[in-house]
Amino acid sequence: MRGTHSRILTTIIALLALQLGSLVAPAYACGCGAMIPDKAQRIGVDREESAVRWDGRTETVVMRFNVHGNAERAAWIMPVPGRADVRLGDPALFDELDRLTEPEQRDRYYFWPREGDWPFDAANGDGAAAAPPTAGGVGVVGRERLGPFDVARLTATDPEALGDWLRTNGFDLPERLTGALQPYVERKWEYVAVRLAPQEQGAILYGELTPLRIAFASPELVYPMRLSRLARTPQTLGLYVLADHRMEPRSPIGGDRPEVTFAGPIERPEGAVAELAGDRPVRLTVLEQHFPHPERIDDDHHLRTVADTPYRETEYTDRLLTLGGVPAWLLTVGGGLLLAALLAVRVRRRRPAGAPGVRSSA
C-alpha cells in the first residue's frame, strides 16, 4: 500500500512540475507569421482570422489575433511577395463578415414526443432547443508606430542578415526562424516585421488585438503560411476571401482538408466590408482549416478560382409538430381512439336480436 501511495504522489508531483513549466516557458504561436514573446513569458494564438481581398493585381490582408498569456511584448514577421503598405484595420470588419455569413435558420419538426416533451416532462414544451539592401543584406523600407504595433518593412538578400537585423532592433525571434526564411529570400519576397507592445506601461498582451491591414501587389492570391510550421501547438485558421469568384486553396499544405462554410455573392457591400472590397458586387468565400501538426506545413496557401456554386450552412431547430397549439400526435391518437369508440357503439346498435352473444326467449 505504501508503494502505491508513493507512486501516486510521484505522478502528481511530476504533473504539477510539467504544468508549472508550461506557465513560464515561451509558447511559440504562429499564424501566417511567427509570433514570439520575450524570454520567460508566454503567449498563445490558437486561432488566427484574416480577411483577404484580391482584385487580380493587389492583395489586402486584414488580420485579427486573439491572444492569451502573460507577455508584455512579442515579435512577429510576415513575408509578402511585394512592397507592403501597412495600416490599422477596422475592428468592425469581422463582426460585419460574421453577420453576412450567418447560417440559415430552419425549423425541423418531429411527430412523436421526445424527452422534455409532455408527457415525459412535467413542463410543457415544444422541443426548441523599398529601399535597396544595405551592404549587410537588409534594406529598411519604412518603420512606424501603429497603435500597439511597431512595424518595420524590410527587404533582404540573406536570411542570416535578416535574422541579425531583427534581433538587433528589438524583434526577438528564434534562431531557427532564419532557416525558415530561406525560401522567401530566394524568391525575393519582402517582410513586415511587427513588435506588439501595449501602450500602457506594464500591461500584458491579452484578448482581441486591433486588426492590422497589409496590402501588397500580387499576381496571384497567396496567403503566407510556411512560417506557421514553427508553432508548438495545434493551430486553426479562419479565412474570409473577397474576390470576383469563389476561391479555394489548391492543397491542404499539411493540415486538415480546408472546409468551406460559406460561399456567395455580396451584392451591396457596406461599412467596413465596402472599405475593404469596394462598393461593387463581390464574392465571399469563408474557409476553416485545422492544423493538428503545424510542423507538417510545407507551403503557403495558393488559392484558385473554382465554380461560383453558392453555399450556406443550415442550422436546424427541432420542434414538436403541433396543430393549433396541440401536439399532432395527441390529436391523432385521441382522434383514433374516439373513432374506434364510435365504431364500437355503432356495431352494438346494429347487432340483430339473436346474434351470438345475445340471449333470446324460446
Side-chain angles (χ1 to χ4, degrees):
M1 180 67 72
R2 180 175 298 174
T4 301
H5 288 166
S6 177
R7 286 194 297 272
I8 293 174
L9 181 60
T10 301
T11 302
I12 293 174
I13 292 174
L15 290 173
L16 287 173
L18 180 63
Q19 183 66 24
L20 290 172
S22 69
L23 292 176
V24 298
Y28 302 113
C30 306
C32 66
M35 184 178 291
I36 312 297
D38 285 356
K39 293 180 176 62
Q41 294 183 333
R42 60 186 294 271
I43 190 169
V45 184
D46 298 327
R47 176 173 173 79
E48 174 194 335
E49 288 184 306
S50 291
V52 181
R53 170 66 172 126
W54 186 63
D55 61 7
R57 299 179 304 277
T58 302
E59 181 174 340
T60 303
V61 180
V62 182
M63 309 182 68
R64 178 174 70 172
F65 292 108
N66 198 308
V67 303
H68 55 83
N70 64 352
E72 297 178 11
R73 291 173 299 278
W76 167 76
I77 185 169
M78 177 180 178
V80 292
R83 183 61 45 85
D85 174 75
V86 185
R87 64 186 70 177
L88 294 179
D90 190 335
L93 174 63
F94 292 92
D95 291 336
E96 293 181 14
L97 289 171
D98 287 341
R99 284 194 294 271
L100 289 171
T101 59
E102 286 179 343
E104 181 180 356
Q105 302 296 320
R106 290 185 181 180
D107 290 335
R108 183 167 51 190
Y109 293 92
Y110 57 91
F111 184 78
W112 293 110
R114 301 176 180 176
E115 184 178 356
D117 298 320
W118 183 88
F120 302 115
D121 191 358
N124 234 341
D126 64 358
T134 64
V138 177
V140 180
V141 177
R143 189 167 182 180
E144 49 269 329
R145 176 82 183 196
L146 299 173
F149 305 108
D150 173 15
V151 180
R153 292 173 293 145
L154 309 169
T155 63
T157 58
D158 178 3
E160 295 286 348
L162 178 58
D164 290 342
W165 188 97
L166 290 168
R167 283 182 282 274
T168 301
N169 287 271
F171 296 82
D172 192 10
L173 298 168
E175 294 289 344
R176 64 197 182 103
L177 177 67
T178 302
L181 290 171
Q182 182 65 40
Y184 298 111
V185 172
E186 293 174 354
R187 285 183 282 172
K188 296 181 172 55
W189 280 34
E190 299 190 5
Y191 309 89
V192 176
V194 182
R195 283 200 312 164
L196 294 85
Q199 293 173 306
E200 299 82 10
Q201 188 70 24
I204 64 172
L205 292 166
Y206 193 87
E208 190 175 292
L209 303 181
T210 304
L212 199 62
R213 175 174 173 148
I214 304 171
F216 47 88
S218 181
E220 65 167 333
L221 204 168
V222 57
Y223 188 74
M225 285 291 298
R226 191 186 297 267
L227 295 185
S228 296
R229 64 184 295 121
L230 301 178
R232 299 287 181 85
T233 59
Q235 302 290 295
T236 301
L237 173 67
L239 204 57
Y240 301 84
V241 182
L242 293 150
D244 292 338
H245 299 281
R246 176 170 167 171
M247 307 290 288
E248 294 184 18
R250 296 180 184 273
S251 75
I253 64 170
D256 292 346
R257 183 176 180 272
E259 177 187 1
V260 175
T261 61
F262 178 89
I266 307 299
E267 297 294 346
R268 295 185 178 86
E270 298 178 351
V273 176
E275 182 183 353
L276 177 62
D279 56 4
R280 64 187 183 90
V282 68
R283 285 199 171 263
L284 172 61
T285 310
V286 182
L287 300 160
E288 286 281 337
Q289 187 177 15
H290 299 280
F291 295 90
H293 305 282
E295 70 276 6
R296 297 178 183 174
I297 297 174
D298 57 7
D299 200 356
D300 300 315
H301 262 321
H302 298 265
L303 289 88
R304 62 180 178 177
T305 300
V306 298
D308 289 330
T309 305
Y311 174 77
R312 182 188 290 268
E313 290 184 323
T314 301
E315 290 183 353
Y316 290 96
T317 300
D318 290 336
R319 299 183 183 278
L320 180 66
L321 182 63
T322 62
L323 298 173
V326 180
W329 71 268
L330 185 59
L331 292 174
T332 302
V333 173
L337 293 174
L338 179 60
L339 179 61
L342 291 175
L343 289 174
V345 171
R346 188 172 182 180
V347 168
R348 283 199 299 271
R349 287 179 176 177
R350 288 187 175 185
R351 184 173 293 163
V358 180
R359 289 186 178 183
S360 62
S361 59

